Coordinates of all heavy atoms in Angstrom, one line a residue:
M1 N 26.0 29.1 2.8 CA 25.5 29.4 4.1 C 24.3 28.8 4.6 O 24.2 28.2 5.6 CB 25.3 31.1 4.2 CG 25.1 31.8 5.5 SD 26.4 31.6 6.5 CE 25.8 32.4 8.0
R2 N 23.3 28.8 3.7 CA 22.0 28.2 4.1 C 22.3 26.6 4.3 O 21.6 26.2 5.2 CB 20.9 28.4 2.9 CG 19.6 27.8 3.2 CD 18.6 28.2 2.2 NE 18.3 29.7 2.3 CZ 17.8 30.4 1.5 NH1 17.5 29.8 0.3 NH2 17.6 31.6 1.6
S3 N 23.0 26.0 3.5 CA 23.1 24.6 3.7 C 23.7 24.3 5.2 O 23.5 23.2 5.6 CB 23.9 23.9 2.6 OG 25.2 24.5 2.6
K4 N 24.5 25.2 5.6 CA 25.1 25.0 7.0 C 24.2 25.2 8.1 O 24.2 24.6 9.1 CB 26.3 26.0 7.3 CG 27.6 25.5 6.5 CD 28.7 26.4 7.0 CE 30.0 25.6 7.1 NZ 31.1 26.3 7.8
M5 N 23.1 26.0 7.8 CA 22.2 26.2 8.8 C 21.0 25.3 8.9 O 20.5 25.1 10.0 CB 21.4 27.7 8.5 CG 22.3 28.9 8.6 SD 21.6 30.5 8.4 CE 20.0 30.3 7.5
L6 N 20.8 24.4 7.9 CA 19.7 23.3 7.9 C 20.4 22.0 8.0 O 21.3 21.7 7.1 CB 19.0 23.3 6.6 CG 18.1 24.6 6.5 CD1 17.4 24.6 5.3 CD2 17.0 24.6 7.6
K7 N 20.1 21.3 9.0 CA 20.6 20.0 9.1 C 19.5 19.0 9.6 O 18.7 19.5 10.4 CB 21.8 19.8 10.0 CG 23.2 19.8 9.4 CD 24.2 20.0 10.4 CE 24.5 18.6 11.2 NZ 25.6 18.7 12.1
F8 N 19.3 17.8 9.0 CA 18.4 16.9 9.6 C 19.0 16.1 10.7 O 19.9 15.3 10.5 CB 17.9 16.0 8.4 CG 17.0 16.8 7.4 CD1 17.5 17.4 6.3 CD2 15.7 16.8 7.8 CE1 16.7 18.1 5.4 CE2 14.9 17.6 6.8 CZ 15.4 18.2 5.8
G9 N 18.3 16.0 11.9 CA 18.7 15.3 13.0 C 17.8 14.3 13.4 O 16.7 14.3 12.8
Q10 N 18.1 13.3 14.2 CA 17.4 12.3 14.7 C 16.4 12.8 15.9 O 16.8 13.5 16.7 CB 18.2 11.1 15.1 CG 17.4 9.8 15.0 CD 17.6 9.3 13.6 OE1 18.7 9.4 13.1 NE2 16.6 8.7 13.1
F11 N 15.1 12.5 15.8 CA 14.2 12.9 16.9 C 14.1 11.8 17.8 O 13.8 10.7 17.6 CB 12.8 13.1 16.3 CG 11.7 13.6 17.2 CD1 11.9 15.0 17.6 CD2 10.8 12.9 17.6 CE1 11.0 15.5 18.4 CE2 9.7 13.4 18.4 CZ 9.9 14.7 18.8
H12 N 14.6 12.1 19.1 CA 14.7 11.0 20.1 C 13.5 11.1 20.9 O 13.2 11.9 21.8 CB 15.9 11.2 20.9 CG 17.2 11.1 20.2 ND1 17.6 9.8 19.8 CD2 18.1 12.0 19.7 CE1 18.8 10.0 19.0 NE2 19.0 11.3 19.0
S13 N 12.6 10.1 20.7 CA 11.4 9.9 21.5 C 10.9 8.5 21.3 O 11.1 7.8 20.3 CB 10.3 11.0 21.0 OG 9.0 10.3 21.0
S14 N 10.3 7.9 22.4 CA 9.9 6.5 22.3 C 8.8 6.3 21.3 O 8.6 5.4 20.7 CB 9.4 6.0 23.6 OG 8.5 6.9 24.2
R15 N 8.0 7.5 21.1 CA 6.9 7.4 20.1 C 7.4 7.4 18.7 O 6.8 6.7 17.9 CB 5.9 8.6 20.5 CG 4.6 8.0 21.2 CD 3.6 9.0 21.5 NE 3.6 10.1 20.5 CZ 3.0 11.2 20.6 NH1 2.4 11.5 21.7 NH2 3.1 12.1 19.7
A16 N 8.3 8.2 18.4 CA 8.6 8.4 17.0 C 10.2 8.2 17.0 O 10.9 9.1 16.7 CB 8.3 9.7 16.5
R17 N 10.6 7.0 17.0 CA 12.0 6.9 17.2 C 12.9 7.1 15.9 O 13.9 7.8 16.0 CB 12.4 5.4 17.6 CG 13.8 5.1 18.0 CD 13.9 3.8 18.7 NE 13.1 3.6 19.9 CZ 13.5 3.9 21.1 NH1 14.6 4.7 21.2 NH2 12.7 3.7 22.1
N18 N 12.4 6.9 14.7 CA 13.2 7.1 13.6 C 12.7 8.4 12.7 O 13.0 8.5 11.7 CB 13.1 5.9 12.7 CG 13.8 4.7 13.3 OD1 15.0 5.0 13.8 ND2 13.3 3.6 13.3
M19 N 11.8 9.2 13.4 CA 11.2 10.4 12.8 C 12.4 11.5 12.6 O 13.0 11.6 13.5 CB 10.1 10.9 13.6 CG 9.3 11.9 12.8 SD 7.9 12.3 13.8 CE 7.9 14.1 13.6
R20 N 12.5 11.9 11.3 CA 13.4 12.9 11.1 C 12.9 14.4 11.3 O 11.8 14.6 10.9 CB 14.0 12.8 9.6 CG 14.9 11.6 9.5 CD 16.2 12.0 8.9 NE 17.1 11.0 9.0 CZ 18.4 11.1 9.5 NH1 18.8 12.2 9.9 NH2 19.2 10.2 9.5
V21 N 13.5 15.2 12.0 CA 13.1 16.6 12.2 C 14.1 17.6 11.6 O 15.3 17.3 11.7 CB 12.7 16.9 13.6 CG1 11.5 16.1 14.1 CG2 14.0 16.7 14.5
L22 N 13.6 18.7 11.2 CA 14.6 19.7 10.7 C 15.3 20.4 11.8 O 14.8 20.9 12.9 CB 13.8 20.8 9.9 CG 14.5 21.8 9.1 CD1 15.3 21.2 8.0 CD2 13.4 22.9 8.7
K23 N 16.7 20.4 11.7 CA 17.6 21.0 12.7 C 17.9 22.3 12.2 O 18.6 22.4 11.2 CB 18.7 20.1 13.1 CG 19.6 20.6 14.2 CD 20.8 19.6 14.5 CE 21.6 20.3 15.5 NZ 22.8 19.5 15.6
V24 N 17.7 23.4 12.9 CA 18.0 24.7 12.5 C 19.1 25.2 13.4 O 18.9 25.1 14.7 CB 16.7 25.6 12.5 CG1 17.2 27.0 12.0 CG2 15.7 25.1 11.6
V25 N 20.1 25.8 12.9 CA 21.2 26.4 13.6 C 21.2 27.9 13.4 O 21.1 28.4 12.3 CB 22.6 25.8 13.1 CG1 23.7 26.4 13.9 CG2 22.5 24.3 13.3
C26 N 21.4 28.6 14.4 CA 21.6 30.2 14.4 C 22.7 30.6 13.5 O 23.8 30.1 13.7 CB 21.8 30.7 15.7 SG 21.9 32.5 15.8
P27 N 22.5 31.4 12.4 CA 23.6 31.8 11.6 C 24.7 32.7 12.2 O 25.7 32.9 11.7 CB 22.9 32.4 10.5 CG 21.6 32.8 10.9 CD 21.3 31.9 12.0
E28 N 24.2 33.3 13.3 CA 25.2 34.2 14.1 C 26.0 33.5 15.1 O 27.2 33.8 15.2 CB 24.3 35.2 14.8 CG 23.6 36.2 14.0 CD 24.5 37.0 13.1 OE1 25.4 37.5 13.4 OE2 23.9 37.2 11.9
C29 N 25.5 32.6 15.9 CA 26.4 31.9 17.0 C 26.3 30.4 16.8 O 27.1 29.7 17.8 CB 25.7 32.4 18.3 SG 24.3 31.5 18.8
N30 N 25.7 29.7 15.9 CA 25.9 28.5 15.7 C 25.2 27.5 16.7 O 25.3 26.4 16.7 CB 27.2 27.9 15.4 CG 27.8 28.3 14.1 OD1 27.2 28.3 13.0 ND2 29.1 28.8 14.1
S31 N 24.4 28.2 17.6 CA 23.5 27.4 18.5 C 22.3 26.9 17.9 O 22.0 27.3 16.8 CB 23.2 28.4 19.7 OG 24.3 28.9 20.5
K32 N 21.7 26.0 18.6 CA 20.4 25.4 18.0 C 19.4 26.5 18.0 O 19.4 27.3 19.0 CB 20.0 24.3 19.0 CG 19.2 23.1 18.3 CD 19.0 22.1 19.4 CE 17.5 21.8 19.4 NZ 17.1 20.8 20.3
A33 N 18.5 26.5 17.0 CA 17.4 27.5 16.9 C 16.1 26.6 16.9 O 16.1 25.5 16.5 CB 17.6 28.4 15.7
I34 N 15.1 27.4 17.3 CA 13.8 26.9 17.6 C 12.9 27.4 16.3 O 12.9 28.6 16.2 CB 13.2 27.2 18.9 CG1 14.0 26.4 20.0 CG2 11.8 26.7 18.9 CD1 13.9 27.0 21.3
I35 N 12.1 26.6 15.8 CA 11.1 27.0 14.8 C 9.8 27.5 15.5 O 9.3 26.8 16.2 CB 10.6 25.9 13.8 CG1 12.0 25.5 13.0 CG2 9.6 26.3 12.8 CD1 11.8 24.3 12.0
R36 N 9.7 28.8 15.3 CA 8.5 29.4 16.1 C 7.2 29.2 15.2 O 6.1 29.0 15.9 CB 8.7 30.9 16.3 CG 9.9 31.2 17.4 CD 9.2 30.9 18.7 NE 10.3 31.1 19.8 CZ 10.4 30.5 20.9 NH1 9.4 29.5 21.2 NH2 11.2 30.7 21.8
K37 N 7.3 29.5 14.1 CA 6.1 29.3 13.1 C 6.4 29.2 11.6 O 7.6 29.6 11.2 CB 5.1 30.6 13.3 CG 5.5 31.9 12.7 CD 4.4 32.9 12.5 CE 4.9 34.1 12.1 NZ 3.8 35.2 12.0
T38 N 5.6 28.6 11.0 CA 5.9 28.5 9.6 C 4.7 29.1 8.7 O 3.6 29.0 9.1 CB 6.0 27.1 9.0 OG1 4.9 26.3 9.4 CG2 7.3 26.5 9.7
V39 N 5.1 29.9 7.7 CA 4.1 30.5 7.0 C 4.1 29.9 5.5 O 5.1 30.2 4.8 CB 4.1 32.0 7.0 CG1 3.1 32.7 6.0 CG2 3.9 32.6 8.3
R40 N 3.0 29.3 5.1 CA 3.0 28.7 3.7 C 2.5 29.8 2.8 O 1.4 30.2 2.8 CB 2.0 27.6 3.8 CG 2.3 26.5 2.6 CD 1.4 25.2 2.8 NE 1.7 24.3 1.7 CZ 0.6 23.8 1.1 NH1 -0.5 24.0 1.4 NH2 1.0 22.9 0.1
K41 N 3.5 30.2 1.9 CA 3.2 31.3 1.0 C 2.8 30.8 -0.3 O 2.0 31.4 -1.1 CB 4.5 32.0 0.7 CG 5.1 32.8 2.0 CD 6.4 33.5 1.8 CE 6.3 34.9 1.3 NZ 7.6 35.4 1.1
H42 N 3.0 29.5 -0.7 CA 2.7 28.9 -2.0 C 2.9 27.3 -1.7 O 3.4 26.9 -0.7 CB 3.8 29.4 -3.0 CG 3.6 28.8 -4.4 ND1 4.3 27.6 -4.7 CD2 2.9 29.2 -5.4 CE1 4.0 27.3 -5.9 NE2 3.1 28.2 -6.4
R43 N 2.3 26.6 -2.7 CA 2.3 25.1 -2.5 C 3.7 24.7 -2.2 O 4.0 23.6 -1.7 CB 1.7 24.5 -3.8 CG 1.0 23.4 -3.6 CD -0.1 23.2 -4.8 NE 0.5 23.3 -6.0 CZ 0.9 22.2 -6.8 NH1 0.7 21.0 -6.3 NH2 1.4 22.4 -7.9
H44 N 4.7 25.3 -2.9 CA 6.1 24.9 -2.8 C 7.0 25.8 -2.0 O 8.2 25.6 -2.0 CB 6.6 24.8 -4.2 CG 6.0 23.6 -4.9 ND1 6.0 23.5 -6.4 CD2 5.2 22.6 -4.6 CE1 5.3 22.6 -6.9 NE2 4.9 22.0 -5.8
I45 N 6.5 26.9 -1.4 CA 7.3 27.9 -0.6 C 6.7 28.1 0.7 O 5.6 28.5 0.9 CB 7.6 29.1 -1.5 CG1 8.1 28.9 -3.0 CG2 8.5 30.1 -0.7 CD1 7.9 30.1 -3.8
S46 N 7.7 28.1 1.7 CA 7.3 28.4 3.1 C 8.4 29.2 3.7 O 9.4 29.1 3.5 CB 7.1 27.0 4.0 OG 6.0 26.4 3.6
D47 N 7.8 30.2 4.6 CA 8.8 31.0 5.3 C 8.9 30.3 6.8 O 7.8 29.9 7.3 CB 8.3 32.5 5.5 CG 8.7 33.3 4.3 OD1 9.5 32.9 3.6 OD2 8.1 34.5 4.4
I48 N 10.0 30.1 7.3 CA 10.2 29.4 8.6 C 10.8 30.5 9.5 O 12.0 30.9 9.4 CB 11.1 28.2 8.5 CG1 10.6 27.2 7.4 CG2 11.3 27.6 9.9 CD1 11.5 26.0 7.2
Y49 N 10.0 30.9 10.6 CA 10.4 31.9 11.4 C 11.1 31.2 12.6 O 10.6 30.3 13.3 CB 9.3 32.7 12.1 CG 8.7 33.6 11.1 CD1 7.9 33.2 10.1 CD2 8.8 35.0 11.2 CE1 7.3 34.1 9.0 CE2 8.4 35.9 10.2 CZ 7.7 35.5 9.2 OH 7.3 36.3 8.2
C50 N 12.4 31.6 12.9 CA 13.3 30.9 13.8 C 13.8 31.8 15.0 O 13.9 32.9 14.6 CB 14.4 30.2 13.2 SG 14.0 29.1 11.8
A51 N 14.0 31.3 16.1 CA 14.6 31.9 17.2 C 15.7 31.2 17.9 O 15.6 30.0 18.0 CB 13.5 32.3 18.2
C52 N 17.0 31.8 18.0 CA 18.1 31.3 18.6 C 17.7 30.7 20.0 O 17.1 31.6 20.8 CB 19.2 32.0 18.6 SG 20.9 31.4 19.2
A53 N 18.1 29.5 20.4 CA 17.7 29.0 21.8 C 18.8 29.6 22.8 O 18.5 29.5 24.0 CB 17.8 27.5 21.7
D54 N 19.9 30.2 22.3 CA 20.8 30.8 23.2 C 20.2 32.1 23.8 O 20.2 33.0 22.9 CB 22.2 30.9 22.6 CG 23.3 31.3 23.6 OD1 22.9 31.9 24.5 OD2 24.4 31.1 23.3
V55 N 19.8 32.2 25.0 CA 19.4 33.5 25.5 C 20.3 34.7 25.4 O 19.9 35.8 25.3 CB 18.8 33.3 27.0 CG1 17.5 32.5 27.0 CG2 19.9 32.8 27.9
E56 N 21.5 34.4 25.4 CA 22.6 35.5 25.4 C 22.6 35.9 23.9 O 23.1 37.0 23.7 CB 23.9 35.0 25.8 CG 23.9 34.9 27.3 CD 25.3 34.3 27.8 OE1 26.3 34.5 27.1 OE2 25.4 33.7 28.9
C57 N 22.3 35.2 23.0 CA 22.1 35.7 21.6 C 20.9 36.3 21.2 O 20.9 37.5 20.9 CB 22.5 34.4 20.6 SG 22.2 34.8 18.7
G58 N 19.7 35.6 21.3 CA 18.4 36.1 21.1 C 18.1 36.3 19.5 O 17.2 37.1 19.3
H59 N 19.0 36.0 18.7 CA 18.7 36.3 17.3 C 17.3 35.5 16.7 O 17.2 34.4 17.0 CB 20.0 35.7 16.5 CG 19.9 36.0 15.1 ND1 20.4 35.2 14.0 CD2 19.4 37.1 14.3 CE1 20.2 35.7 12.9 NE2 19.7 36.9 13.0
T60 N 16.6 36.4 16.1 CA 15.4 35.7 15.5 C 15.6 36.0 13.9 O 16.1 37.1 13.5 CB 14.0 36.5 15.9 OG1 14.1 37.9 15.7 CG2 13.8 36.1 17.3
F61 N 15.2 35.1 13.1 CA 15.4 35.2 11.7 C 14.4 34.3 10.9 O 13.7 33.5 11.4 CB 16.8 34.8 11.3 CG 17.2 33.4 11.9 CD1 17.2 32.2 11.1 CD2 17.6 33.2 13.2 CE1 17.6 31.0 11.6 CE2 18.0 32.0 13.7 CZ 18.0 30.9 12.9
V62 N 14.3 34.5 9.6 CA 13.4 33.8 8.7 C 14.2 33.0 7.7 O 15.1 33.5 7.1 CB 12.5 34.7 8.0 CG1 11.5 34.0 7.0 CG2 11.7 35.6 9.1
L63 N 13.9 31.7 7.5 CA 14.4 30.8 6.5 C 13.5 30.7 5.5 O 12.2 30.7 5.7 CB 14.9 29.4 7.1 CG 16.0 29.4 8.2 CD1 16.2 28.0 8.5 CD2 17.3 30.1 7.7
N64 N 13.9 30.4 4.2 CA 12.9 30.0 3.1 C 13.0 28.4 2.9 O 14.2 28.0 2.8 CB 13.2 30.8 1.8 CG 13.1 32.3 1.9 OD1 14.1 32.9 1.6 ND2 11.9 32.7 2.6
M65 N 11.9 27.9 2.8 CA 11.9 26.5 2.5 C 11.3 26.3 1.2 O 10.1 26.7 1.0 CB 11.2 25.5 3.6 CG 11.4 24.2 3.3 SD 10.9 23.1 4.7 CE 9.1 23.4 4.8
T66 N 11.8 25.6 0.1 CA 11.2 25.5 -1.1 C 11.3 24.0 -1.5 O 12.1 23.3 -1.2 CB 11.9 26.3 -2.4 OG1 13.3 25.9 -2.3 CG2 11.9 27.8 -2.0
F67 N 10.2 23.6 -2.3 CA 10.2 22.3 -2.9 C 11.3 22.1 -3.9 O 11.3 23.2 -4.7 CB 8.7 22.0 -3.4 CG 8.6 20.8 -4.1 CD1 8.4 19.6 -3.5 CD2 8.8 20.7 -5.5 CE1 8.4 18.4 -4.2 CE2 8.6 19.6 -6.2 CZ 8.4 18.4 -5.7
S68 N 11.9 21.0 -3.9 CA 12.9 20.9 -4.9 C 12.4 19.9 -6.0 O 12.2 20.4 -7.2 CB 14.2 20.4 -4.2 OG 15.2 20.1 -5.3
H69 N 12.4 18.6 -5.8 CA 12.0 17.8 -6.8 C 11.3 16.5 -6.1 O 11.5 16.1 -5.1 CB 13.1 17.4 -7.8 CG 14.3 16.8 -7.0 ND1 15.2 17.4 -6.4 CD2 14.7 15.5 -6.9 CE1 16.0 16.7 -5.8 NE2 15.8 15.4 -6.1
T70 N 10.7 15.8 -7.1 CA 10.0 14.3 -6.6 C 11.1 13.3 -6.8 O 11.6 13.3 -7.9 CB 8.8 14.2 -7.5 OG1 7.8 15.2 -7.2 CG2 8.1 12.8 -7.1
I71 N 11.1 12.5 -5.9 CA 11.9 11.3 -5.9 C 11.0 10.0 -6.4 O 11.4 9.3 -7.3 CB 12.7 10.9 -4.7 CG1 13.4 12.2 -4.3 CG2 13.3 9.5 -4.7 CD1 14.1 12.1 -2.9
S72 N 9.9 10.0 -5.7 CA 8.9 8.9 -6.2 C 7.6 9.6 -6.1 O 7.2 10.2 -5.1 CB 9.0 7.8 -4.9 OG 7.9 6.8 -5.3
P73 N 6.8 9.5 -7.3 CA 5.7 10.2 -7.3 C 4.5 9.7 -6.3 O 4.5 8.6 -5.8 CB 5.0 9.8 -8.8 CG 5.8 8.5 -9.2 CD 7.1 8.6 -8.4
S74 N 3.7 10.6 -6.1 CA 2.5 10.3 -5.1 C 1.6 9.3 -5.5 O 1.2 9.5 -6.8 CB 1.8 11.6 -4.6 OG 0.5 11.4 -4.2
A75 N 1.1 8.4 -4.8 CA 0.0 7.5 -5.1 C -1.2 8.2 -5.4 O -2.1 7.8 -6.3 CB -0.1 6.4 -4.1
K76 N -1.4 9.3 -4.6 CA -2.6 10.2 -4.9 C -2.8 10.8 -6.4 O -3.8 10.8 -6.9 CB -2.8 11.2 -3.9 CG -3.1 10.7 -2.5 CD -3.1 11.8 -1.6 CE -3.5 11.3 -0.2 NZ -3.7 12.5 0.8
S77 N -1.5 11.2 -6.8 CA -1.6 11.9 -8.2 C -1.8 10.7 -9.1 O -2.3 10.9 -10.3 CB -0.4 12.7 -8.4 OG 0.7 12.1 -8.3
Q78 N -1.2 9.5 -8.9 CA -1.4 8.4 -9.9 C -2.9 8.0 -10.0 O -3.4 7.7 -11.1 CB -0.6 7.2 -9.5 CG 1.0 7.3 -9.5 CD 1.7 6.1 -9.2 OE1 1.3 5.6 -8.2 NE2 2.9 5.9 -9.8
D79 N -3.5 8.1 -8.8 CA -5.0 7.7 -8.8 C -5.8 8.7 -9.6 O -6.6 8.2 -10.5 CB -5.5 7.8 -7.3 CG -5.2 6.5 -6.6 OD1 -4.5 5.6 -7.1 OD2 -5.4 6.5 -5.4
S80 N -5.5 9.9 -9.5 CA -6.2 10.9 -10.2 C -6.0 10.9 -11.7 O -6.7 11.1 -12.7 CB -6.0 12.3 -9.7 OG -4.8 12.7 -9.9
L81 N -4.6 10.6 -12.0 CA -4.2 10.3 -13.5 C -5.0 9.1 -14.0 O -5.5 9.2 -15.2 CB -2.7 10.1 -13.4 CG -2.0 10.3 -14.9 CD1 -1.9 11.8 -15.1 CD2 -0.5 9.8 -14.6
L82 N -5.2 8.1 -13.4 CA -5.8 6.9 -13.9 C -7.2 7.2 -14.1 O -7.8 6.9 -15.2 CB -5.7 5.7 -12.8 CG -4.5 4.9 -13.0 CD1 -4.4 3.8 -11.8 CD2 -4.3 4.3 -14.4
K83 N -7.8 7.9 -13.0 CA -9.3 8.3 -13.3 C -9.5 9.2 -14.5 O -10.5 9.0 -15.1 CB -9.8 9.0 -11.9 CG -11.3 9.0 -12.0 CD -11.7 9.9 -10.7 CE -13.4 9.8 -10.6 NZ -13.9 10.2 -11.9
G84 N -8.6 10.1 -14.7 CA -8.7 11.1 -15.8 C -8.6 10.2 -17.2 O -9.3 10.5 -18.0
I85 N -7.8 9.2 -17.2 CA -7.6 8.4 -18.4 C -8.9 7.5 -18.6 O -9.5 7.5 -19.7 CB -6.4 7.6 -18.3 CG1 -5.0 8.3 -18.4 CG2 -6.4 6.4 -19.4 CD1 -3.8 7.5 -18.0
V86 N -9.3 6.9 -17.6 CA -10.5 6.1 -17.7 C -11.8 6.9 -18.0 O -12.6 6.6 -19.0 CB -10.9 5.3 -16.3 CG1 -12.3 4.7 -16.3 CG2 -9.8 4.2 -16.0
D87 N -12.0 8.2 -17.6 CA -13.0 9.1 -17.9 C -13.0 9.5 -19.5 O -14.2 9.8 -19.9 CB -12.9 10.5 -17.0 CG -13.4 10.1 -15.6 OD1 -13.9 9.1 -15.3 OD2 -13.2 11.1 -14.8
T88 N -11.9 9.4 -20.0 CA -11.8 9.8 -21.4 C -12.2 8.7 -22.4 O -12.3 9.0 -23.6 CB -10.4 10.4 -21.9 OG1 -9.5 9.4 -21.6 CG2 -10.0 11.6 -21.0
L89 N -12.1 7.4 -21.8 CA -12.4 6.3 -22.7 C -13.8 6.1 -23.1 O -14.7 6.4 -22.2 CB -11.8 5.0 -22.0 CG -10.4 4.9 -21.6 CD1 -10.2 3.7 -20.9 CD2 -9.5 5.0 -23.0
D90 N -14.0 5.7 -24.2 CA -15.5 5.4 -24.7 C -15.9 4.0 -24.1 O -15.0 3.2 -23.7 CB -15.6 5.5 -26.2 CG -14.7 4.5 -26.9 OD1 -14.7 3.3 -26.6 OD2 -14.0 5.1 -27.8
P91 N -17.2 3.7 -24.0 CA -17.6 2.4 -23.4 C -16.9 1.1 -23.9 O -16.6 0.2 -23.3 CB -19.1 2.4 -23.7 CG -19.5 3.9 -23.8 CD -18.3 4.5 -24.5
E92 N -16.7 1.1 -25.2 CA -16.0 0.0 -25.8 C -14.5 -0.2 -25.4 O -14.2 -1.4 -25.0 CB -16.0 0.2 -27.4 CG -15.7 -1.1 -28.1 CD -15.5 -0.8 -29.8 OE1 -16.6 -0.1 -30.1 OE2 -14.7 -1.2 -30.4
R93 N -13.8 0.9 -25.1 CA -12.5 0.8 -24.7 C -12.5 0.5 -23.2 O -11.6 -0.1 -22.7 CB -11.7 2.2 -25.0 CG -11.4 2.2 -26.5 CD -10.2 3.1 -26.7 NE -9.7 2.8 -28.1 CZ -10.1 3.6 -29.2 NH1 -11.1 4.3 -29.0 NH2 -9.4 3.3 -30.3
R94 N -13.5 1.0 -22.4 CA -13.6 0.6 -21.0 C -13.7 -0.8 -20.8 O -13.1 -1.4 -20.0 CB -14.7 1.4 -20.4 CG -14.5 2.8 -20.0 CD -15.6 3.6 -19.3 NE -15.5 4.9 -19.4 CZ -16.0 5.6 -18.4 NH1 -16.7 5.2 -17.6 NH2 -15.8 7.0 -18.8
Q95 N -14.5 -1.5 -21.7 CA -14.9 -2.9 -21.6 C -13.5 -3.6 -21.9 O -13.2 -4.5 -21.4 CB -15.9 -3.1 -22.4 CG -16.4 -4.7 -22.4 CD -17.0 -5.0 -21.0 OE1 -17.7 -4.3 -20.4 NE2 -16.3 -6.0 -20.4
M96 N -12.9 -3.1 -23.0 CA -11.6 -3.7 -23.4 C -10.5 -3.7 -22.1 O -9.8 -4.6 -22.0 CB -10.9 -2.9 -24.5 CG -9.9 -3.6 -25.3 SD -9.4 -2.7 -26.8 CE -8.0 -1.8 -26.3
L97 N -10.5 -2.5 -21.5 CA -9.7 -2.3 -20.4 C -9.9 -3.2 -19.1 O -9.1 -4.0 -18.6 CB -9.7 -0.8 -19.9 CG -8.7 -0.5 -18.7 CD1 -7.3 -0.7 -19.1 CD2 -9.0 1.0 -18.3
L98 N -11.3 -3.4 -19.1 CA -11.8 -4.2 -18.0 C -11.4 -5.7 -18.3 O -10.9 -6.3 -17.4 CB -13.4 -4.1 -17.8 CG -14.0 -4.6 -16.6 CD1 -13.4 -3.9 -15.5 CD2 -15.4 -4.4 -16.6
N99 N -11.6 -6.2 -19.5 CA -11.2 -7.4 -20.0 C -9.7 -7.7 -19.7 O -9.2 -8.8 -19.2 CB -11.6 -7.6 -21.4 CG -13.0 -7.7 -21.6 OD1 -13.9 -7.8 -20.7 ND2 -13.4 -7.5 -22.9
L100 N -8.9 -6.6 -20.1 CA -7.4 -6.9 -19.8 C -7.1 -7.0 -18.5 O -6.2 -7.7 -18.0 CB -6.7 -5.5 -20.5 CG -6.4 -5.5 -22.0 CD1 -6.0 -4.1 -22.4 CD2 -5.3 -6.6 -22.3
L101 N -7.8 -6.2 -17.5 CA -7.4 -6.2 -16.1 C -7.9 -7.6 -15.6 O -7.3 -8.0 -14.6 CB -8.1 -5.1 -15.4 CG -7.5 -3.7 -15.7 CD1 -8.5 -2.6 -15.1 CD2 -6.1 -3.5 -15.1
Q102 N -8.9 -8.2 -16.0 CA -9.5 -9.3 -15.5 C -8.7 -10.5 -16.0 O -8.8 -11.7 -15.3 CB -10.9 -9.5 -15.7 CG -11.8 -8.6 -14.9 CD -13.4 -8.4 -15.2 OE1 -13.6 -8.9 -16.5 NE2 -14.2 -8.0 -14.4
N103 N -8.0 -10.4 -17.2 CA -7.4 -11.6 -17.8 C -6.2 -11.1 -18.5 O -6.1 -11.0 -19.6 CB -8.4 -12.3 -18.7 CG -7.8 -13.5 -19.1 OD1 -6.7 -14.0 -18.7 ND2 -8.4 -14.2 -20.2
P104 N -5.2 -10.6 -17.7 CA -4.0 -10.0 -18.3 C -3.2 -10.9 -19.2 O -2.5 -10.3 -20.1 CB -3.2 -9.6 -17.1 CG -3.8 -10.1 -15.8 CD -5.2 -10.8 -16.2
A105 N -3.4 -12.2 -19.1 CA -2.5 -13.1 -19.9 C -3.0 -13.3 -21.3 O -2.2 -13.5 -22.3 CB -2.4 -14.5 -19.2
A106 N -4.2 -13.0 -21.5 CA -4.9 -13.1 -22.8 C -4.4 -12.1 -23.9 O -4.0 -11.0 -23.5 CB -6.4 -13.0 -22.7
Ligands
ZN201 ZN1 22.4 32.7 18.1

């Protein structure tokens, strides 16, 4: 049921031609629904408040959106991971790392 209600459609605008937006369909009448607000309950969980765009239906409902999995890791988390590693190194190993970075072939 949920997978039928959520579809990703193309956003048609000259400014953001290839931007993807979440397409929500009313589970009662299959008309397009509008996202009224989102409430972030947790880093990985949001409630999405929706309203059917068909005035004759008028159904309002809440969807849950949850994070599933990473496909490619964030460059930001890689940066903090690297900094964490460098912070734990003693001066001698830092110098060794620096030498390796400056002259990787050696
Ligand atoms: Zn509806």
